[in-house]
Amino acid sequence: MKIFLDTANLEEIKNSAEANLIDGITTNPSLMAREIKRTGLESTDILKQITALVNGPISAEVISKDLEGMVREAKELKAIAPQIVIKIPMTFDGMKAVRRLRAEGIDTNVTLVFSANQALLAAKAGATYVSPFVGRLDDIGNDGMNLVGEILTIFENYNYKTKVIVASVRHPKHVKEAALMGADIATIPYKILNKLFNHCLTDQGIERFDNDWKDAHK
Ligand code: E4P
């Protein structure tokens, strides 16, 4: 399973890129706004810097809600770097934009997907990626990972090439379940990436080896 980092924070991206663990990046308007405030940089400059740090796909979201606005913004974003993927919200106009961008060879990531039918429509429109938001579904008492299973089954039934990005990841269990289900990608916040390294027995083991070593070298 590929791991994308769900952030626009340049420090977090730099640090993760050093370990070569990250296959791509997803951003959204909230994450970009946070980084604009933190750095004082314009969103275009932030995206340029991200593309210099990571080789894989970098999702950048349009702000417009209308078809022409979305297509115009998509082209502006794509001009920043070829690896930019255009994040489009799951709306009627959004799917028209996906179709137009597909015809021009521009990759899209359909975002804010909360049902299997929405994912089906995105695949039919020609989306490169679809992003079910599992954490936000869990938050309202639904089962986010169940939706991922449904989408994977539907895409397999009809041989859709659209890749599933498990998004709105809240804890390591989401990541493990995504991998067990065979999801293509999980996009995870930096905080969760750090948690994936942790196990109390690893910490105890390191401490014990350290103490034994020091004991023998007193
Ligand atoms: C995905 O592409 C989104 O940026 C993200 O996963 C949203 O997650 P949230 O529910 O933590 O905001």
Side-chain angles (χ1 to χ4, degrees), residues 2 98 102 107-110 119-131 151-165 182-185:
K2 290 191 171 161
V98 167
R102 170 80 295 142
D107 287 334
T108 54
N109 172 0
V110 174
L120 176 63
L121 292 176
K124 286 180 78 66
T128 317
Y129 304 95
V130 67
S131 290
I151 296 172
L152 288 170
T153 303
I154 291 170
F155 285 6
E156 201 181 316
N157 285 349
Y158 299 100
N159 206 18
Y160 285 122
K161 298 286 173 258
T162 304
K163 293 194 182 332
V164 177
I165 305 182
D184 302 285
I185 301 140

Side-chain angles (χ1 to χ4, degrees), residues 6 26-28 31 87 109 111 131 133 136 167-170 187:
D6 195 26
T26 51
T27 67
N28 64 39
L31 295 170
K87 231 170 163 188
N109 172 0
T111 189
S131 290
F133 276 34
R136 292 194 196 183
S168 184
V169 163
R170 297 270 195 270
T187 188

Side-chain angles (χ1 to χ4, degrees), residues 205-218:
I206 290 172
E207 201 183 335
R208 195 185 299 170
F209 287 154
D210 234 30
N211 290 339
D212 290 347
W213 185 258
K214 279 180 196 147
D215 234 29
H217 294 82
K218 264 182 187 162

Side-chain angles (χ1 to χ4, degrees), residues 44-61:
T44 309
D45 295 323
I46 294 168
L47 285 168
K48 265 188 203 148
Q49 290 199 35
I50 294 175
T51 57
L53 290 167
V54 176
N55 273 330
I58 315 292
S59 286
E61 191 158 339

